[in-house]
Amino acid sequence: MSEIAKIAGTDVDGSDDFDDRSKQEITKRDEEYSNLLKHFVSITCRRNEAKEENKWIFFRIIMGLLITLGLLACATIIVLLIKCSGEEIINAIPAIITAMVGFASSVIAIPLAITKYLFSTKEDKYITEIISHTQEHDLAGRRIIKALNEVQENVGQSKAQ
């Protein structure tokens, strides 16, 4: 009986009893874990829905920026062709390419950095770990109660004999 109490993490008053109080403590902890799991599930659902919505908003913003970049590049080329001579266009090409590459790099780099922190995958890992620990706890609690019931049945059978 003492082994069961040690497995449960409770040795009531140093005795070998694993009584109703211990069962109630296990049941209470199970309820608290269940409430905690429900809370995390509801938060995770809301967070995942918000993430999905934000990802599409973010995608639209980035696509808008890239389209704008493309239009600006086209407009710049058209203005150069209309207003400048051939020699001026040839001299301006390196500067224009450098400016557009720098702008494109910032349009790509900044969203990547934002995405890395805004849509972290570590949250999902932590939620998975919490669920795993909760399942391990549930399994341990069931084993303890099963072992307790078996011991109680054996004690009851030995007293009956």
Side-chain angles (χ1 to χ4, degrees), residues 26-152:
I26 290 172
T27 303
K28 182 180 177 184
R29 280 192 296 258
D30 285 343
E31 289 173 5
E32 289 174 3
Y33 272 109
S34 295
N35 289 336
L36 182 64
L37 182 61
K38 285 178 191 176
H39 180 70
F40 276 116
V41 166
S42 69
I43 287 173
T44 302
C45 288
R46 288 193 307 253
R47 184 181 298 131
N48 287 342
E49 289 169 1
K51 271 185 180 181
E52 188 66 28
E53 186 176 320
N54 289 338
K55 283 178 185 179
W56 283 107
I57 291 169
F58 191 68
F59 173 76
R60 289 182 187 113
I61 290 170
I62 295 304
M63 290 307 295
L65 287 173
L66 290 175
I67 290 169
T68 303
L69 176 64
L71 292 173
L72 284 173
C74 290
T76 303
I77 292 170
I78 290 170
V79 168
L80 277 175
L81 291 173
I82 293 172
K83 300 240 178 187
C84 297
S85 68
E87 188 177 321
E88 290 174 328
I89 292 173
I90 291 173
N91 291 335
I93 288 176
I96 292 171
I97 291 174
T98 303
M100 287 185 185
V101 168
F103 183 71
S105 296
S106 66
V107 166
I108 292 170
I110 292 171
L112 284 176
I114 292 170
T115 303
K116 180 180 176 182
Y117 295 104
L118 186 61
F119 305 114
S120 174
T121 57
K122 290 182 180 180
E123 292 174 356
D124 296 334
K125 176 185 169 189
Y126 297 144
I127 294 296
T128 303
E129 287 178 9
I130 289 170
I131 291 170
S132 175
H133 290 302
T134 302
Q135 289 173 337
E136 289 171 8
H137 174 267
D138 287 347
L139 182 59
R142 287 185 186 120
R143 286 180 181 155
I144 291 167
I145 291 174
K146 181 180 177 183
L148 175 63
N149 289 337
E150 289 174 0
V151 169
Q152 287 177 341

